[in-house]
Amino acid sequence: MSKSILITGGAGFIGSHVVRLFINKYPQYKIVNLDALTYAGNLENLKDVDQAPNYFFEKVNLLEADKVEAVFKKHLITDVIHLAAESHVDRSIISPLDFVYTNIIGTVNLLNVAKNFWKENYDNHLFYHISTDEVYGALGETGFFTETTAYHPNSPYSASKASSDHFVRAYAETYHLKTIVSNCSNNYGPYHFPEKLIPLFINNIITKKSLPVYGDGLYTRDWLFVKDHALAIDLIFHKGKADETYNIGGFNEWRNIDLIKLLCSLMDEKLGRQKGESETLITYVKDRPGHDRRYAIDATKINKELGWKPTVTFEQGLSETIDWYLQNTEWLQHVTSGAYQHYYENMYSSR
Ligand code: NAD
Ligand code: TYD
């Protein structure tokens, strides 16, 4: 029997790449995108695939459990890939409760609906939960997060994601729901909302606005091209072992300031600007409270067990990403008008 897969958060950054991959690669599957279309959800992200016969969109908030249940019934959902979340650390510092509602209560609502809807036979259905490496907390100069690293979340965002991961495990243990969790490092690529470091700085370089570097700029992240994350999700969904967890990362650590300087030089070249011009926009600003010093994923398990590894280098992925933003100015203008201006003003004027 073919599958009817509910992908939550499919109008967001990573979700839109997963939806696109599944629509194109699996015409025999029904792909149902459930998304509340918050500030981060944008149907423009899917306009190249939204006419596909195997694609369906449902504008539903995870907090409305009865509507989530109606979507399961309408589409006879067989599996879930759960990406919908509030996803930005800085916003979580300002409004932690939004993260409790969507990331924790929203996830528990979805688990409850799946548990009730699939109760005849849990073995035939998978609840795949997409999480983050931030649940593990911060690393010092050395070491990596493995699947057995203890959870130690430091921000309201990572605390809410950690909580949702625990609920998924609890539903596997208590109710025998078949689940998988994967924890991925920082993604970058096309359709990334310009509140996160890379797209925000690309937009500011284009518009010659200052580049706000938090603290000393020596914070380190492990960056993965979003299409490689989508490929990992595809592989885990089809080949991953039930009730296991998989770490996904790029083996690609960058200190923020080094990454920013690379971005500036690539963009000077692509925009035909003078060498060094964009670097003059760099401005050190007040640090993020509770800022995690370093994240780094050990992705040995998914590599050894499922044969996954990134398909592009950072230079290739970053170059493709910058080209995408330079070619999609209309998309960028749409997402940076209106409410975005207010957000930017609020977030950065006091730094
Ligand atoms: P995003 O913010 O771009 O998209 C989130 C999507 O969820 C949006 O389309 C939004 O409309 C939707 N949504 C939010 N609240 C909802 C609700 N209550 N009901 C229904 N839909 C709702 O996020 P992203 O960066 O694409 O991240 C997707 C997932 O991957 C998240 O679970 C995140 O924690 C995880 N993750 C992200 C990264 C990263 O670097 N971006 C890394 C690892 C894991
Ligand atoms: P971000 O993209 O928000 O991802 P996360 O905090 O989830 O890792 O930030 C990546 C890094 O860049 C992080 O160390 C914070 C830093 N940063 C800045 O220096 N300036 C900014 O304006 C933003 C948004 C982030």
PDB file of all heavy atoms in Angstrom, residues 9 11-15 34-41 60-63 83-87 102 130-132 157 161 184-187 192 196 229, ligand 1:
ATOM      1  N   GLY A   9       4.899  21.778   9.043  1.00  0.00           N
ATOM      2  CA  GLY A   9       5.894  22.841   8.840  1.00  0.00           C
ATOM      3  C   GLY A   9       6.475  22.834   7.435  1.00  0.00           C
ATOM      4  O   GLY A   9       7.568  23.348   7.202  1.00  0.00           O
ATOM      5  N   ALA A  11       5.742  24.574   4.933  1.00  0.00           N
ATOM      6  CA  ALA A  11       5.882  25.879   4.274  1.00  0.00           C
ATOM      7  C   ALA A  11       7.065  26.659   4.838  1.00  0.00           C
ATOM      8  O   ALA A  11       7.329  27.793   4.442  1.00  0.00           O
ATOM      9  CB  ALA A  11       4.593  26.689   4.427  1.00  0.00           C
ATOM     10  N   GLY A  12       7.788  26.053   5.768  1.00  0.00           N
ATOM     11  CA  GLY A  12       8.961  26.708   6.344  1.00  0.00           C
ATOM     12  C   GLY A  12      10.216  26.393   5.554  1.00  0.00           C
ATOM     13  O   GLY A  12      10.156  25.823   4.456  1.00  0.00           O
ATOM     14  N   PHE A  13      11.344  26.735   6.140  1.00  0.00           N
ATOM     15  CA  PHE A  13      12.627  26.595   5.436  1.00  0.00           C
ATOM     16  C   PHE A  13      12.954  25.127   5.123  1.00  0.00           C
ATOM     17  O   PHE A  13      12.931  24.698   3.960  1.00  0.00           O
ATOM     18  CB  PHE A  13      13.698  27.254   6.318  1.00  0.00           C
ATOM     19  CG  PHE A  13      15.116  26.951   5.953  1.00  0.00           C
ATOM     20  CD1 PHE A  13      15.556  27.041   4.631  1.00  0.00           C
ATOM     21  CD2 PHE A  13      16.040  26.593   6.941  1.00  0.00           C
ATOM     22  CE1 PHE A  13      16.883  26.770   4.300  1.00  0.00           C
ATOM     23  CE2 PHE A  13      17.354  26.330   6.627  1.00  0.00           C
ATOM     24  CZ  PHE A  13      17.783  26.410   5.315  1.00  0.00           C
ATOM     25  N   ILE A  14      13.222  24.318   6.135  1.00  0.00           N
ATOM     26  CA  ILE A  14      13.628  22.926   5.886  1.00  0.00           C
ATOM     27  C   ILE A  14      12.444  22.125   5.345  1.00  0.00           C
ATOM     28  O   ILE A  14      12.579  21.336   4.404  1.00  0.00           O
ATOM     29  CB  ILE A  14      14.186  22.282   7.176  1.00  0.00           C
ATOM     30  CG1 ILE A  14      15.376  23.084   7.706  1.00  0.00           C
ATOM     31  CG2 ILE A  14      14.613  20.835   6.910  1.00  0.00           C
ATOM     32  CD1 ILE A  14      15.869  22.668   9.090  1.00  0.00           C
ATOM     33  N   GLY A  15      11.266  22.370   5.939  1.00  0.00           N
ATOM     34  CA  GLY A  15      10.073  21.627   5.525  1.00  0.00           C
ATOM     35  C   GLY A  15       9.804  21.749   4.027  1.00  0.00           C
ATOM     36  O   GLY A  15       9.431  20.770   3.374  1.00  0.00           O
ATOM     37  N   LEU A  34       0.940  20.180   6.415  1.00  0.00           N
ATOM     38  CA  LEU A  34       0.137  20.873   7.440  1.00  0.00           C
ATOM     39  C   LEU A  34       0.974  22.017   8.000  1.00  0.00           C
ATOM     40  O   LEU A  34       2.056  21.792   8.542  1.00  0.00           O
ATOM     41  CB  LEU A  34      -0.258  19.895   8.552  1.00  0.00           C
ATOM     42  CG  LEU A  34      -1.119  20.448   9.704  1.00  0.00           C
ATOM     43  CD1 LEU A  34      -1.960  19.333  10.319  1.00  0.00           C
ATOM     44  CD2 LEU A  34      -0.292  21.143  10.783  1.00  0.00           C
ATOM     45  N   ASP A  35       0.459  23.229   7.871  1.00  0.00           N
ATOM     46  CA  ASP A  35       1.248  24.384   8.332  1.00  0.00           C
ATOM     47  C   ASP A  35       0.295  25.505   8.721  1.00  0.00           C
ATOM     48  O   ASP A  35      -0.711  25.747   8.040  1.00  0.00           O
ATOM     49  CB  ASP A  35       2.174  24.841   7.194  1.00  0.00           C
ATOM     50  CG  ASP A  35       3.309  25.714   7.689  1.00  0.00           C
ATOM     51  OD1 ASP A  35       3.037  26.815   8.220  1.00  0.00           O
ATOM     52  OD2 ASP A  35       4.472  25.309   7.543  1.00  0.00           O
ATOM     53  N   ALA A  36       0.629  26.209   9.807  1.00  0.00           N
ATOM     54  CA  ALA A  36      -0.228  27.310  10.277  1.00  0.00           C
ATOM     55  C   ALA A  36       0.074  28.605   9.534  1.00  0.00           C
ATOM     56  O   ALA A  36      -0.643  29.589   9.699  1.00  0.00           O
ATOM     57  CB  ALA A  36      -0.004  27.521  11.771  1.00  0.00           C
ATOM     58  N   LEU A  37       1.140  28.612   8.736  1.00  0.00           N
ATOM     59  CA  LEU A  37       1.592  29.826   8.036  1.00  0.00           C
ATOM     60  C   LEU A  37       1.819  30.971   9.029  1.00  0.00           C
ATOM     61  O   LEU A  37       1.195  32.031   8.939  1.00  0.00           O
ATOM     62  CB  LEU A  37       0.613  30.235   6.927  1.00  0.00           C
ATOM     63  CG  LEU A  37       0.415  29.201   5.812  1.00  0.00           C
ATOM     64  CD1 LEU A  37      -0.531  29.739   4.732  1.00  0.00           C
ATOM     65  CD2 LEU A  37       1.748  28.789   5.170  1.00  0.00           C
ATOM     66  N   THR A  38       2.710  30.748   9.965  1.00  0.00           N
ATOM     67  CA  THR A  38       3.150  31.836  10.845  1.00  0.00           C
ATOM     68  C   THR A  38       4.055  32.748  10.016  1.00  0.00           C
ATOM     69  O   THR A  38       4.226  32.533   8.813  1.00  0.00           O
ATOM     70  CB  THR A  38       3.983  31.279  12.024  1.00  0.00           C
ATOM     71  OG1 THR A  38       5.223  30.766  11.501  1.00  0.00           O
ATOM     72  CG2 THR A  38       3.234  30.190  12.776  1.00  0.00           C
ATOM     73  N   TYR A  39       4.707  33.710  10.672  1.00  0.00           N
ATOM     74  CA  TYR A  39       5.621  34.607   9.948  1.00  0.00           C
ATOM     75  C   TYR A  39       6.667  33.807   9.151  1.00  0.00           C
ATOM     76  O   TYR A  39       7.167  34.259   8.122  1.00  0.00           O
ATOM     77  CB  TYR A  39       6.340  35.549  10.949  1.00  0.00           C
ATOM     78  CG  TYR A  39       7.472  34.841  11.663  1.00  0.00           C
ATOM     79  CD1 TYR A  39       8.768  34.892  11.159  1.00  0.00           C
ATOM     80  CD2 TYR A  39       7.248  34.057  12.796  1.00  0.00           C
ATOM     81  CE1 TYR A  39       9.803  34.193  11.767  1.00  0.00           C
ATOM     82  CE2 TYR A  39       8.260  33.361  13.397  1.00  0.00           C
ATOM     83  CZ  TYR A  39       9.536  33.436  12.884  1.00  0.00           C
ATOM     84  OH  TYR A  39      10.551  32.727  13.459  1.00  0.00           O
ATOM     85  N   ALA A  40       6.998  32.581   9.630  1.00  0.00           N
ATOM     86  CA  ALA A  40       8.070  31.787   9.007  1.00  0.00           C
ATOM     87  C   ALA A  40       7.551  30.883   7.893  1.00  0.00           C
ATOM     88  O   ALA A  40       8.339  30.317   7.141  1.00  0.00           O
ATOM     89  CB  ALA A  40       8.767  30.932  10.070  1.00  0.00           C
ATOM     90  N   GLY A  41       6.245  30.737   7.808  1.00  0.00           N
ATOM     91  CA  GLY A  41       5.658  29.851   6.793  1.00  0.00           C
ATOM     92  C   GLY A  41       5.271  30.658   5.564  1.00  0.00           C
ATOM     93  O   GLY A  41       4.662  31.721   5.680  1.00  0.00           O
ATOM     94  N   VAL A  60      -3.457  24.588   9.055  1.00  0.00           N
ATOM     95  CA  VAL A  60      -3.945  24.184  10.389  1.00  0.00           C
ATOM     96  C   VAL A  60      -2.853  24.480  11.411  1.00  0.00           C
ATOM     97  O   VAL A  60      -1.669  24.286  11.148  1.00  0.00           O
ATOM     98  CB  VAL A  60      -4.276  22.664  10.407  1.00  0.00           C
ATOM     99  CG1 VAL A  60      -4.531  22.163  11.824  1.00  0.00           C
ATOM    100  CG2 VAL A  60      -5.487  22.362   9.528  1.00  0.00           C
ATOM    101  N   ASN A  61      -3.290  24.946  12.588  1.00  0.00           N
ATOM    102  CA  ASN A  61      -2.357  25.165  13.691  1.00  0.00           C
ATOM    103  C   ASN A  61      -2.330  23.907  14.563  1.00  0.00           C
ATOM    104  O   ASN A  61      -3.396  23.363  14.890  1.00  0.00           O
ATOM    105  CB  ASN A  61      -2.821  26.374  14.520  1.00  0.00           C
ATOM    106  CG  ASN A  61      -1.733  26.855  15.452  1.00  0.00           C
ATOM    107  OD1 ASN A  61      -1.131  26.074  16.175  1.00  0.00           O
ATOM    108  ND2 ASN A  61      -1.474  28.143  15.412  1.00  0.00           N
ATOM    109  N   LEU A  62      -1.162  23.467  14.947  1.00  0.00           N
ATOM    110  CA  LEU A  62      -1.047  22.242  15.760  1.00  0.00           C
ATOM    111  C   LEU A  62      -1.757  22.361  17.099  1.00  0.00           C
ATOM    112  O   LEU A  62      -2.043  21.360  17.763  1.00  0.00           O
ATOM    113  CB  LEU A  62       0.420  21.913  16.017  1.00  0.00           C
ATOM    114  CG  LEU A  62       1.208  21.364  14.827  1.00  0.00           C
ATOM    115  CD1 LEU A  62       2.681  21.251  15.187  1.00  0.00           C
ATOM    116  CD2 LEU A  62       0.656  20.004  14.403  1.00  0.00           C
ATOM    117  N   LEU A  63      -2.024  23.600  17.505  1.00  0.00           N
ATOM    118  CA  LEU A  63      -2.713  23.777  18.789  1.00  0.00           C
ATOM    119  C   LEU A  63      -4.194  23.419  18.691  1.00  0.00           C
ATOM    120  O   LEU A  63      -4.858  23.222  19.699  1.00  0.00           O
ATOM    121  CB  LEU A  63      -2.540  25.216  19.272  1.00  0.00           C
ATOM    122  CG  LEU A  63      -1.076  25.554  19.595  1.00  0.00           C
ATOM    123  CD1 LEU A  63      -0.911  27.017  19.955  1.00  0.00           C
ATOM    124  CD2 LEU A  63      -0.558  24.666  20.729  1.00  0.00           C
ATOM    125  N   LEU A  83       8.076  18.668  11.375  1.00  0.00           N
ATOM    126  CA  LEU A  83       9.062  19.759  11.379  1.00  0.00           C
ATOM    127  C   LEU A  83       8.516  21.054  11.959  1.00  0.00           C
ATOM    128  O   LEU A  83       9.300  21.947  12.302  1.00  0.00           O
ATOM    129  CB  LEU A  83       9.542  20.060   9.952  1.00  0.00           C
ATOM    130  CG  LEU A  83      10.347  18.978   9.242  1.00  0.00           C
ATOM    131  CD1 LEU A  83       9.540  18.403   8.102  1.00  0.00           C
ATOM    132  CD2 LEU A  83      11.671  19.499   8.735  1.00  0.00           C
ATOM    133  N   ALA A  84       7.197  21.211  12.021  1.00  0.00           N
ATOM    134  CA  ALA A  84       6.628  22.497  12.449  1.00  0.00           C
ATOM    135  C   ALA A  84       7.156  22.863  13.829  1.00  0.00           C
ATOM    136  O   ALA A  84       7.150  22.058  14.751  1.00  0.00           O
ATOM    137  CB  ALA A  84       5.103  22.423  12.481  1.00  0.00           C
ATOM    138  N   ALA A  85       7.615  24.093  13.945  1.00  0.00           N
ATOM    139  CA  ALA A  85       8.138  24.555  15.231  1.00  0.00           C
ATOM    140  C   ALA A  85       8.343  26.055  15.171  1.00  0.00           C
ATOM    141  O   ALA A  85       8.433  26.645  14.091  1.00  0.00           O
ATOM    142  CB  ALA A  85       9.475  23.885  15.541  1.00  0.00           C
ATOM    143  N   GLU A  86       8.432  26.660  16.337  1.00  0.00           N
ATOM    144  CA  GLU A  86       9.044  27.982  16.450  1.00  0.00           C
ATOM    145  C   GLU A  86      10.534  27.683  16.501  1.00  0.00           C
ATOM    146  O   GLU A  86      10.972  26.848  17.302  1.00  0.00           O
ATOM    147  CB  GLU A  86       8.586  28.691  17.728  1.00  0.00           C
ATOM    148  CG  GLU A  86       7.149  29.180  17.689  1.00  0.00           C
ATOM    149  CD  GLU A  86       6.943  30.330  16.703  1.00  0.00           C
ATOM    150  OE1 GLU A  86       7.927  31.000  16.330  1.00  0.00           O
ATOM    151  OE2 GLU A  86       5.795  30.543  16.291  1.00  0.00           O
ATOM    152  N   SER A  87      11.332  28.363  15.661  1.00  0.00           N
ATOM    153  CA  SER A  87      12.696  27.869  15.456  1.00  0.00           C
ATOM    154  C   SER A  87      13.819  28.871  15.722  1.00  0.00           C
ATOM    155  O   SER A  87      14.988  28.521  15.558  1.00  0.00           O
ATOM    156  CB  SER A  87      12.829  27.351  14.014  1.00  0.00           C
ATOM    157  OG  SER A  87      12.744  28.434  13.102  1.00  0.00           O
ATOM    158  N   THR A 102       3.789  25.914  20.712  1.00  0.00           N
ATOM    159  CA  THR A 102       3.935  25.171  19.456  1.00  0.00           C
ATOM    160  C   THR A 102       4.827  23.940  19.624  1.00  0.00           C
ATOM    161  O   THR A 102       4.460  22.835  19.210  1.00  0.00           O
ATOM    162  CB  THR A 102       4.494  26.092  18.344  1.00  0.00           C
ATOM    163  OG1 THR A 102       3.439  26.943  17.919  1.00  0.00           O
ATOM    164  CG2 THR A 102       4.991  25.288  17.149  1.00  0.00           C
ATOM    165  N   ILE A 130      11.619  15.773  13.878  1.00  0.00           N
ATOM    166  CA  ILE A 130      12.851  16.466  13.467  1.00  0.00           C
ATOM    167  C   ILE A 130      13.289  17.402  14.594  1.00  0.00           C
ATOM    168  O   ILE A 130      12.561  18.328  14.968  1.00  0.00           O
ATOM    169  CB  ILE A 130      12.616  17.291  12.180  1.00  0.00           C
ATOM    170  CG1 ILE A 130      12.021  16.418  11.067  1.00  0.00           C
ATOM    171  CG2 ILE A 130      13.915  17.976  11.735  1.00  0.00           C
ATOM    172  CD1 ILE A 130      12.839  15.225  10.661  1.00  0.00           C
ATOM    173  N   SER A 131      14.502  17.163  15.106  1.00  0.00           N
ATOM    174  CA  SER A 131      14.983  18.010  16.193  1.00  0.00           C
ATOM    175  C   SER A 131      16.360  18.593  15.870  1.00  0.00           C
ATOM    176  O   SER A 131      16.841  18.515  14.739  1.00  0.00           O
ATOM    177  CB  SER A 131      14.979  17.242  17.515  1.00  0.00           C
ATOM    178  OG  SER A 131      15.177  18.154  18.582  1.00  0.00           O
ATOM    179  N   THR A 132      16.954  19.168  16.887  1.00  0.00           N
ATOM    180  CA  THR A 132      18.143  19.991  16.701  1.00  0.00           C
ATOM    181  C   THR A 132      19.280  19.540  17.614  1.00  0.00           C
ATOM    182  O   THR A 132      19.038  18.951  18.675  1.00  0.00           O
ATOM    183  CB  THR A 132      17.784  21.463  17.029  1.00  0.00           C
ATOM    184  OG1 THR A 132      18.982  22.211  17.179  1.00  0.00           O
ATOM    185  CG2 THR A 132      17.018  21.589  18.337  1.00  0.00           C
ATOM    186  N   TYR A 157      14.275  28.067  23.325  1.00  0.00           N
ATOM    187  CA  TYR A 157      14.078  27.260  22.100  1.00  0.00           C
ATOM    188  C   TYR A 157      14.557  25.833  22.325  1.00  0.00           C
ATOM    189  O   TYR A 157      13.797  24.872  22.112  1.00  0.00           O
ATOM    190  CB  TYR A 157      14.831  27.895  20.914  1.00  0.00           C
ATOM    191  CG  TYR A 157      14.993  26.952  19.732  1.00  0.00           C
ATOM    192  CD1 TYR A 157      13.891  26.475  19.032  1.00  0.00           C
ATOM    193  CD2 TYR A 157      16.268  26.532  19.306  1.00  0.00           C
ATOM    194  CE1 TYR A 157      14.031  25.603  17.946  1.00  0.00           C
ATOM    195  CE2 TYR A 157      16.425  25.664  18.236  1.00  0.00           C
ATOM    196  CZ  TYR A 157      15.303  25.204  17.559  1.00  0.00           C
ATOM    197  OH  TYR A 157      15.456  24.333  16.498  1.00  0.00           O
ATOM    198  N   LYS A 161      12.460  22.240  22.449  1.00  0.00           N
ATOM    199  CA  LYS A 161      12.731  21.126  21.533  1.00  0.00           C
ATOM    200  C   LYS A 161      13.109  19.877  22.336  1.00  0.00           C
ATOM    201  O   LYS A 161      12.686  18.764  22.009  1.00  0.00           O
ATOM    202  CB  LYS A 161      13.853  21.485  20.548  1.00  0.00           C
ATOM    203  CG  LYS A 161      13.485  22.520  19.504  1.00  0.00           C
ATOM    204  CD  LYS A 161      12.385  22.079  18.537  1.00  0.00           C
ATOM    205  CE  LYS A 161      12.804  20.975  17.605  1.00  0.00           C
ATOM    206  NZ  LYS A 161      11.751  20.699  16.587  1.00  0.00           N
ATOM    207  N   CYS A 184      19.749  17.606  14.167  1.00  0.00           N
ATOM    208  CA  CYS A 184      20.630  18.128  13.111  1.00  0.00           C
ATOM    209  C   CYS A 184      21.300  19.436  13.538  1.00  0.00           C
ATOM    210  O   CYS A 184      20.793  20.174  14.372  1.00  0.00           O
ATOM    211  CB  CYS A 184      19.807  18.372  11.842  1.00  0.00           C
ATOM    212  SG  CYS A 184      20.814  18.776  10.410  1.00  0.00           S
ATOM    213  N   SER A 185      22.447  19.694  12.926  1.00  0.00           N
ATOM    214  CA  SER A 185      23.168  20.943  13.164  1.00  0.00           C
ATOM    215  C   SER A 185      22.549  22.085  12.350  1.00  0.00           C
ATOM    216  O   SER A 185      21.534  21.896  11.680  1.00  0.00           O
ATOM    217  CB  SER A 185      24.641  20.749  12.790  1.00  0.00           C
ATOM    218  OG  SER A 185      24.735  20.482  11.403  1.00  0.00           O
ATOM    219  N   ASN A 186      23.184  23.262  12.391  1.00  0.00           N
ATOM    220  CA  ASN A 186      22.642  24.452  11.710  1.00  0.00           C
ATOM    221  C   ASN A 186      22.545  24.245  10.203  1.00  0.00           C
ATOM    222  O   ASN A 186      23.532  23.884   9.567  1.00  0.00           O
ATOM    223  CB  ASN A 186      23.554  25.662  11.952  1.00  0.00           C
ATOM    224  CG  ASN A 186      23.439  26.199  13.349  1.00  0.00           C
ATOM    225  OD1 ASN A 186      23.684  25.486  14.313  1.00  0.00           O
ATOM    226  ND2 ASN A 186      23.068  27.453  13.484  1.00  0.00           N
ATOM    227  N   ASN A 187      21.368  24.498   9.658  1.00  0.00           N
ATOM    228  CA  ASN A 187      21.160  24.409   8.216  1.00  0.00           C
ATOM    229  C   ASN A 187      21.333  25.784   7.568  1.00  0.00           C
ATOM    230  O   ASN A 187      21.130  26.815   8.209  1.00  0.00           O
ATOM    231  CB  ASN A 187      19.727  23.965   7.918  1.00  0.00           C
ATOM    232  CG  ASN A 187      19.470  22.494   8.181  1.00  0.00           C
ATOM    233  OD1 ASN A 187      18.701  21.867   7.465  1.00  0.00           O
ATOM    234  ND2 ASN A 187      20.098  21.915   9.189  1.00  0.00           N
ATOM    235  N   HIS A 192      15.652  30.349   3.271  1.00  0.00           N
ATOM    236  CA  HIS A 192      15.911  30.516   4.707  1.00  0.00           C
ATOM    237  C   HIS A 192      15.445  31.913   5.114  1.00  0.00           C
ATOM    238  O   HIS A 192      15.874  32.914   4.523  1.00  0.00           O
ATOM    239  CB  HIS A 192      17.414  30.376   4.939  1.00  0.00           C
ATOM    240  CG  HIS A 192      17.802  29.924   6.305  1.00  0.00           C
ATOM    241  ND1 HIS A 192      19.111  29.768   6.683  1.00  0.00           N
ATOM    242  CD2 HIS A 192      17.064  29.593   7.394  1.00  0.00           C
ATOM    243  CE1 HIS A 192      19.166  29.350   7.933  1.00  0.00           C
ATOM    244  NE2 HIS A 192      17.937  29.248   8.389  1.00  0.00           N
ATOM    245  N   LYS A 196      17.895  34.377  10.649  1.00  0.00           N
ATOM    246  CA  LYS A 196      19.038  33.551  11.052  1.00  0.00           C
ATOM    247  C   LYS A 196      20.299  34.127  10.424  1.00  0.00           C
ATOM    248  O   LYS A 196      20.233  34.860   9.424  1.00  0.00           O
ATOM    249  CB  LYS A 196      18.834  32.097  10.611  1.00  0.00           C
ATOM    250  CG  LYS A 196      17.477  31.500  10.984  1.00  0.00           C
ATOM    251  CD  LYS A 196      17.437  30.945  12.388  1.00  0.00           C
ATOM    252  CE  LYS A 196      16.035  30.580  12.843  1.00  0.00           C
ATOM    253  NZ  LYS A 196      15.330  29.606  12.059  1.00  0.00           N
ATOM    254  N   HIS A 229      20.311  17.922   4.390  1.00  0.00           N
ATOM    255  CA  HIS A 229      19.450  17.537   5.519  1.00  0.00           C
ATOM    256  C   HIS A 229      18.206  16.821   5.001  1.00  0.00           C
ATOM    257  O   HIS A 229      17.797  15.775   5.518  1.00  0.00           O
ATOM    258  CB  HIS A 229      19.077  18.769   6.347  1.00  0.00           C
ATOM    259  CG  HIS A 229      18.358  18.452   7.627  1.00  0.00           C
ATOM    260  ND1 HIS A 229      17.784  19.414   8.418  1.00  0.00           N
ATOM    261  CD2 HIS A 229      18.101  17.277   8.259  1.00  0.00           C
ATOM    262  CE1 HIS A 229      17.203  18.838   9.466  1.00  0.00           C
ATOM    263  NE2 HIS A 229      17.386  17.541   9.404  1.00  0.00           N
TER     264      HIS A 229
HETATM  265  P1  NAD B   1      11.000  27.519  10.138  1.00  0.00           P
HETATM  266  O1  NAD B   1      10.817  28.474  11.261  1.00  0.00           O
HETATM  267  O2  NAD B   1      11.573  28.017   8.851  1.00  0.00           O
HETATM  268  O3  NAD B   1       9.584  26.860   9.752  1.00  0.00           O
HETATM  269  C1  NAD B   1       8.692  26.412  10.723  1.00  0.00           C
HETATM  270  C2  NAD B   1       7.349  26.138  10.032  1.00  0.00           C
HETATM  271  O4  NAD B   1       6.442  25.662  11.026  1.00  0.00           O
HETATM  272  C3  NAD B   1       6.715  27.372   9.396  1.00  0.00           C
HETATM  273  O5  NAD B   1       6.234  27.061   8.107  1.00  0.00           O
HETATM  274  C4  NAD B   1       5.565  27.719  10.340  1.00  0.00           C
HETATM  275  O6  NAD B   1       4.465  28.334   9.675  1.00  0.00           O
HETATM  276  C5  NAD B   1       5.200  26.344  10.889  1.00  0.00           C
HETATM  277  N1  NAD B   1       4.561  26.436  12.219  1.00  0.00           N
HETATM  278  C6  NAD B   1       5.021  27.132  13.294  1.00  0.00           C
HETATM  279  N2  NAD B   1       4.163  27.003  14.318  1.00  0.00           N
HETATM  280  C7  NAD B   1       3.154  26.171  13.903  1.00  0.00           C
HETATM  281  C8  NAD B   1       1.992  25.650  14.508  1.00  0.00           C
HETATM  282  N3  NAD B   1       1.658  25.959  15.784  1.00  0.00           N
HETATM  283  N4  NAD B   1       1.207  24.825  13.791  1.00  0.00           N
HETATM  284  C9  NAD B   1       1.518  24.511  12.501  1.00  0.00           C
HETATM  285  N5  NAD B   1       2.602  25.002  11.871  1.00  0.00           N
HETATM  286  C10 NAD B   1       3.409  25.819  12.557  1.00  0.00           C
HETATM  287  O7  NAD B   1      11.827  26.312  10.728  1.00  0.00           O
HETATM  288  P2  NAD B   1      13.001  25.449  10.062  1.00  0.00           P
HETATM  289  O8  NAD B   1      14.269  26.173  10.211  1.00  0.00           O
HETATM  290  O9  NAD B   1      12.562  25.004   8.729  1.00  0.00           O
HETATM  291  O10 NAD B   1      13.035  24.215  11.071  1.00  0.00           O
HETATM  292  C11 NAD B   1      12.183  23.093  10.859  1.00  0.00           C
HETATM  293  C12 NAD B   1      12.427  22.081  11.962  1.00  0.00           C
HETATM  294  O11 NAD B   1      13.790  21.664  11.952  1.00  0.00           O
HETATM  295  C13 NAD B   1      12.165  22.628  13.373  1.00  0.00           C
HETATM  296  O12 NAD B   1      11.550  21.610  14.123  1.00  0.00           O
HETATM  297  C14 NAD B   1      13.552  22.947  13.901  1.00  0.00           C
HETATM  298  O13 NAD B   1      13.594  22.833  15.297  1.00  0.00           O
HETATM  299  C15 NAD B   1      14.378  21.875  13.228  1.00  0.00           C
HETATM  300  N6  NAD B   1      15.795  22.222  12.990  1.00  0.00           N
HETATM  301  C16 NAD B   1      16.128  23.396  12.368  1.00  0.00           C
HETATM  302  C17 NAD B   1      17.473  23.675  12.111  1.00  0.00           C
HETATM  303  C18 NAD B   1      17.885  24.932  11.384  1.00  0.00           C
HETATM  304  O14 NAD B   1      19.085  25.192  11.260  1.00  0.00           O
HETATM  305  N7  NAD B   1      16.970  25.732  10.859  1.00  0.00           N
HETATM  306  C19 NAD B   1      18.455  22.776  12.505  1.00  0.00           C
HETATM  307  C20 NAD B   1      18.070  21.583  13.142  1.00  0.00           C
HETATM  308  C21 NAD B   1      16.735  21.318  13.372  1.00  0.00           C
END
